[in-house]
Amino acid sequence: AGRGDAEAFSEGKKARAMGSVDVSDGGISTAIASVRDDGTDDMYAILKYDGKAKLILQKTGSGSMDEMAGELDDGEVQYVLLRVEGGRDQESKAVKFVFITWVGASVGGMAKGRVASHKMAVKDALGWTVVDIQADDKDDISEEVIREKLKKASGANYDLGSNAGGNYESKAGEIQAAGRNNYQTLEKESNIGPVVFETRALPKETPIDLGGRPMVASATEGKKNTVIRDEGAAAKMKGEE
């Protein structure tokens, strides 16, 4: 099933165009939908400036993260929506999205200043992402770094190596054991002790009535002594008085 289409990203496009940066270019919404669609091969979309306050689609690509990084220019400000699929282990098939703000090392001060005011509008146009990264060094957006950031953000290990060599061996048991050990460690560090169950016989409880008085009679006998007031008869007797 697709994760979105061009229509899903067209709403509010005109409003965003009137903001600090124009992201109304039709190619942008189409590229975003394609990267988010499970049925396409696109893994990233790169946006670049056309002037000082308008963004256009630079390109989409189906290659690796290294290929994506190769499209980033040291003299440019570019924005990337990156699709990241699970690592080598089959427990991590979930698709995650990353928003990269690339500010090349040679970018001037004025252009760098515009990034601060444009960035949120671009993020809004690209949609939900798990991790946001701003970088001026390609070492900061290597596959290793990005996957590590995703792992920390999601609380999951995306590279357990259980499928290395193409021979899948489930690591679900190890993951479960690690989670259990972590929980037990946290439990010891907390001020809440483990659940303790009573093993001795509890004392017999004495039933009480609605007034809190002990009921020494059995429930059956107690029911016999219960008087239900007849309001109608009581009102009649009061009238006769």
Side-chain angles (χ1 to χ4, degrees), residues 171-187:
K171 298 292 184 181
E174 293 180 17
I175 296 171
Q176 189 178 52
R180 182 168 57 249
N181 290 336
N182 287 339
Y183 176 81
Q184 291 172 347
T185 300
L186 291 173
E187 186 179 50

Side-chain angles (χ1 to χ4, degrees), residues 86-94 156-158 160-163 168-175:
R88 292 178 299 177
D89 66 298
Q90 293 188 16
E91 281 92 5
S92 57
K93 293 180 178 178
N157 192 335
Y158 281 84
L160 296 177
S162 59
N163 201 31
Y168 178 66
E169 179 184 352
S170 176
K171 298 292 184 181
E174 293 180 17
I175 296 171

